[in-house]
Amino acid sequence: MQLAAIVISLVTFVIGTALAARAALYIYKVVRTGSADGTRFGQPAQRVATVAKEFLGHTRMNRWGVVGVAHWFVAVGFFSLVLTLVNAFGQLFDAEFVLPVIGHWLPWNIFVELIGTLTTLGILTLMVIRLLSLPSRAGRKSRFAGSIAWQAFYVEYTILGIGLCIMMLRGLEGALEGVDSYDPAYLVSYPIAAAFHGTAHGTLVNLVYLFAMLKICISFAWAITIGVNPSMGVAWHRFLAFFNIYFKREDDGGTALGALRPMTSGGAPIDFEDPADDAVFGVSQVEHFSWKGILDFSTCTECGRCQSQCPAWNTGKPLSPKLLIMSLREHAFAKAPYLLAGGGKSMEGEEQATAEQLAGVPAAALAEAERPLIGTAEEGGVIDPDVLWSCTTCGACVEQCPVDIEHIDHIVDMRRYQVMIESSFPTEAGTMLKNLENKGNPWGLATKARLDWVKELKKETGIEVPVIGEDIDPAEVEYLYWVGCAGALEDRAKKTTKAFAELLHTAGVKFAILGKEETCTGDSPRRLGNEFLFQMLGAQNVETLNAALEDAPTKRIVATCPHCFNTIANEYPQLGGHFEVIHHTQLLQHLIDEGKLLPVNPVEGLITYHDPCYLGRHNKVYTPPREIIGRVPGLRNEEMHRHKERGFCCGAGGARMWMEERIGKRINTERVDEALSLNPDIVSTACPFCLVMLSDSVNGKKNEGAAKEHLKVVDVAQLLLESVKAAPAAEAEPVEA
């Protein structure tokens, strides 16, 4: 028995170690096929701290309650109990072997007992959760839909088997020691030891050999499996995740939200005024992704948290962030032999490798190299165009991913090539682009129309809004109010603009606008993929803002549109524009706190607040709007099921505002249905795009008789103004003589 256990274990160990090491080297080579990216190496101490925080704290996973706790024990047990594997090798040669120094140390034995047990219970919990949410039962609602099921179950059964072997060996060790009463060193396994009480010594020894062999064979059979499946993300993520988190986009450990990365070629930002002749615009081949992108694809564990939160997937669209990343991973690894042999296509489609270089490349890899990255199933495309254009860039996938995959950056990089090189994008978005080029706003309205709301406000209230540099000196301005295209030109959004201006006037804030000098910030064209138009609009705005605020004590800007807020605050620094930018809800909360705005008049009704993605997830502004609502007397606030970090998109982001929604349920309808389940009187938000999308859906529901006629959709600024404004004095009753 002992000889067989030793031979089988050592053979399995050698083969497993060799294959896993070979696969690890291969993964490294595949990742290296990506393009250069030198932005991932800053602040190494901070990056190490981020890895430690995310792993030990399980910061993303623990948002999922019991799943996070169970996974923590599984992850910690996988690494911390590796010494039990060393101990098992020793037991093959001596059944009573214990580790030197710590083998009889009580704290170590208690640790093994507790972590071994909790790891086993943890994996059982995760298995039950997976079984209760099988795609065969839940369909698209299962976050495991599309995941490679056998790989996930194999990993889970492996961990379960190892956990059971650890506890069985602990019990046998106790029996060999002759433990005949409860002992803290056998905190959990004592019942197993007691069950073997009286068993012959030879039998116990053989059982130790057997379970030590099983533990080793299960462990290294897993190593063999991942060794022959280098793209097995559900297994490899437990190693790759450390690297993926370390090399995440933000040095400070933040998520890859807010700003988009500058467009690069060969790792260097593209100079749009004088691009290099060989500059690569966007991503048209998998090797055009940076090496971090390939690492992202390799690290995906197929947990489906991104998929479960994606508004496109939840409304019947073909986009699943998980399936997109998995498709790119499988394509990258299938194409890798061709790339590693020196293969590659120029921008004109000419092969760069010689016939000799490609002679030994498998036919399957050569065929994979011919597939277009973006294309329909008939064209053999890796990513279908409908998948690419369904994304709203809401950030739910990036926010939830436990291994920090940067989905939005990859999607936008693919869009950039489609738009700028192929001119291939939804046709209706072309109207928006043309209007921006010609008129500086998506609707193509005359520039002078940007001041219509100013005239309306003066007519309605007598308040005059000054234009900076014309009606007021920049030195007198506390805030430059960036109105935005929607705020100036869209009728529903104009109500927010006028309400905010009136509140600023009431609070005595010195503010001004740019008026006709303002133009689109470029948020929509950038997220559509037209980086050139963004650069043009952004450079123009940065120049205008710098000139307007040159003499201002602080370059302080307030915006009512989260998309403008995000672009000016987070993306204009890429263009040399450094400004202090806040959202209007932040300023209004500040003014209430200072007592400059006093909400006193009750606004009766049940209200639910919708988090704009570019205010909430992208910029972590959740509290100010809710604080304002909480300060308005009469309002009863109730949160929708999906709110804050898990808020559900309105459907307008990622330039989807300007595209038709032809597949599945409309995203804004899904969101309004969620709001209507609370039977509210008011649906509130803090974004003009959200205001338009939610209003459209609510009006449709009213026409169908599915919503109350008095239900209104308003910005929080409108609610605050209603409460701040003095109620009209009641007419005096005539006094009878």
Side-chain angles (χ1 to χ4, degrees), residues 388-442:
L388 187 66
W389 297 110
S390 292
C391 180
T392 67
T393 68
C394 71
C397 49
V398 179
E399 178 70 35
Q400 293 298 329
C401 181
V403 293
D404 283 298
I405 292 171
E406 298 162 6
H407 311 73
I408 293 177
D409 287 347
H410 305 320
I411 288 170
V412 172
D413 274 340
M414 289 187 283
R415 285 183 171 187
R416 284 166 167 166
Y417 180 84
Q418 294 299 305
V419 172
M420 299 181 70
I421 303 301
E422 297 290 336
S423 296
S424 175
F425 51 89
T427 53
E428 58 271 20
T431 304
M432 176 267 291
L433 294 176
K434 192 176 297 181
N435 287 336
L436 288 175
E437 290 173 6
N438 297 331
K439 298 291 186 180
N441 68 79

Side-chain angles (χ1 to χ4, degrees), residues 163-227:
L164 292 175
C165 284
I166 288 173
M167 299 314 296
M168 182 60 74
L169 283 169
R170 289 291 299 153
L172 289 168
E173 289 163 16
L176 278 171
E177 284 188 22
V179 175
D180 55 5
S181 62
Y182 175 77
D183 188 323
Y186 298 95
L187 190 65
V188 181
S189 62
Y190 173 70
I192 301 174
F196 286 105
H197 185 67
T199 304
H201 182 271
T203 303
L204 290 175
V205 167
N206 281 329
L207 285 172
V208 169
Y209 296 150
L210 173 64
F211 281 99
M213 179 189 70
L214 282 175
K215 176 171 168 45
I216 292 167
C217 287
I218 292 171
S219 298
F220 288 96
W222 179 80
I224 292 170
T225 304
I226 69 171

Side-chain angles (χ1 to χ4, degrees), residues 216-328:
I216 292 167
C217 287
I218 292 171
S219 298
F220 288 96
W222 179 80
I224 292 170
T225 304
I226 69 171
V228 297
N229 291 283
S231 64
M232 189 174 174
V234 70
W236 278 106
H237 86 276
R238 62 191 55 232
F239 305 112
L240 298 179
F242 294 104
F243 299 99
N244 211 51
I245 295 169
Y246 179 88
F247 291 116
K248 67 194 299 185
R249 190 179 84 180
E250 304 301 328
D251 289 350
D252 63 1
T255 50
L257 293 172
L260 285 174
R261 297 187 71 224
M263 194 165 167
T264 60
S265 176
I270 294 174
D271 180 357
F272 281 87
E273 293 185 1
D274 184 24
D277 293 337
D278 61 348
V280 177
F281 289 80
V283 168
S284 63
Q285 300 168 41
V286 73
E287 62 269 26
H288 291 166
F289 287 107
S290 72
W291 60 264
K292 175 56 169 65
I294 310 293
L295 181 59
D296 269 358
F297 311 152
S298 306
T299 307
C300 178
T301 184
E302 303 174 27
C303 66
R305 284 168 180 79
C306 57
Q307 179 175 289
S308 71
Q309 303 299 299
C310 178
W313 182 259
N314 275 281
T315 53
K317 316 289 190 292
L319 168 64
S320 155
K322 177 187 73 178
L323 298 180
L324 179 138
I325 295 297
M326 288 172 61
S327 296
L328 292 171

Side-chain angles (χ1 to χ4, degrees), residues 369 622 646:
Y622 298 111
R646 292 200 195 183

Side-chain angles (χ1 to χ4, degrees), residues 548-600:
L549 296 172
E550 185 177 8
D551 297 326
T554 307
K555 294 183 178 182
R556 190 178 291 156
I557 299 169
V558 60
T560 41
C561 176
H563 296 265
C564 298
F565 164 59
N566 178 70
T567 303
I568 299 171
N570 299 325
E571 298 187 330
Y572 280 6
Q574 298 171 9
L575 307 177
H578 299 274
F579 311 101
E580 183 183 322
V581 191
I582 63 171
H583 189 251
H584 76 291
T585 56
Q586 294 173 303
L587 179 54
L588 291 176
Q589 182 199 5
H590 177 66
L591 294 173
I592 293 172
D593 290 343
E594 285 193 331
K596 293 181 179 179
L597 290 175
L598 298 173
V600 290

Side-chain angles (χ1 to χ4, degrees), residues 152-164:
F153 280 116
Y154 176 74
V155 169
E156 288 174 342
Y157 281 117
T158 293
I159 296 169
L160 177 62
I162 292 171
L164 292 175

Side-chain angles (χ1 to χ4, degrees), residues 455-473:
K455 299 170 187 173
E456 294 168 14
L457 183 65
K458 183 178 180 181
K459 186 177 179 181
E460 294 165 9
T461 65
I463 296 171
E464 294 190 17
V465 176
V467 176
I468 196 166
E470 293 180 15
D471 307 315
I472 190 170
D473 188 86

